[in-house]
Amino acid sequence: MHEKLERIKKQLHAESFKLTPQREATLRVLLENEEAHLSAEEIFMLVKQKAPDIGLATVYRTLDLLSELKIIEKLNFGDGVARYEFRSDDHPHHHHHLICLKCNRLFEIEDLLDSLEAKVEREHNFKIVDHRVSFLGYCADCLQEDSTLGD
């Protein structure tokens, strides 16, 4: 976590921004919960435990800045709640999401579209810079609880 925080600090400085205590607290929460796809409100509640004086607007501004600098990505899964995750250092779209329509849990799966993306670029003379794929359905736990979901 320390290495990633230092890398982000350098990136902020390169763009003439400082790693303020509020930004650092927000980043630490994101790093500690990397797989969780937290909403801004969830991030705020966790940051508040580390920095009790922080306001929700500060967290939103920090998330906007980190998104603008492409450090994190703002995701929308169609439920009206924006969630955040770190962008991959080596590939901007490194995984896809499975979204359970019953319990709203998110699962990550590996990127399955690299060859399709290359084919689309070639056949349509189109440079793809990103893609987003979400599969909607029901997780194993929800299917086990409610056998009618599989119909």
Side-chain angles (χ1 to χ4, degrees):
M1 179 164 77
H2 180 72
E3 287 176 16
K4 197 163 192 172
L5 195 57
E6 282 301 311
R7 198 168 49 240
I8 293 167
K9 183 179 180 179
K10 287 178 185 173
Q11 191 174 348
L12 286 168
H13 285 175
E15 298 287 337
S16 301
F17 294 100
K18 293 181 180 176
L19 182 61
T20 64
Q22 296 86 350
R23 288 177 183 155
E24 183 172 348
T26 303
L27 279 166
R28 286 187 181 278
V29 163
L30 287 165
L31 288 166
E32 291 165 2
N33 298 279
E34 251 185 288
E35 302 300 319
H37 300 89
L38 298 173
S39 69
E41 290 77 16
E42 291 169 326
I43 294 166
F44 169 67
M45 296 306 290
L46 293 169
V47 171
K48 195 112 174 102
Q49 295 172 9
K50 296 177 181 300
D53 295 337
I54 199 165
L56 181 59
T58 301
V59 171
Y60 270 108
R61 281 192 304 272
T62 298
L63 294 171
D64 286 344
L65 174 66
L66 296 173
S67 294
E68 184 180 312
L69 296 176
K70 299 189 182 328
I71 294 169
I72 62 171
E73 187 167 357
K74 185 177 184 177
L75 304 170
N76 183 339
F77 294 114
D79 60 358
V81 178
R83 292 185 174 79
Y84 299 86
E85 73 177 5
F86 281 99
R87 291 184 62 93
S88 171
D89 293 336
D90 56 346
H91 204 250
H93 43 265
H94 61 289
H95 63 270
H96 302 300
H97 298 94
L98 304 176
I99 304 164
C100 181
L101 296 170
K102 184 171 183 193
C103 68
N104 294 316
R105 282 192 300 175
L106 300 171
F107 303 90
E108 293 182 355
I109 60 171
E110 67 181 77
D111 188 339
L112 305 170
L113 300 179
D114 283 339
S115 60
L116 175 61
E117 187 175 283
K119 181 180 178 187
V120 168
E121 284 186 334
R122 215 176 29 256
E123 290 181 6
H124 297 278
N125 193 28
F126 187 85
K127 177 62 182 159
I128 297 171
V129 295
D130 199 0
H131 69 257
R132 294 185 181 99
V133 176
S134 298
F135 296 95
L136 308 176
Y138 301 101
C139 69
D141 292 342
C142 290
L143 285 171
Q144 190 173 17
E145 284 177 21
D146 186 345
S147 61
T148 65
L149 294 176
D151 298 336

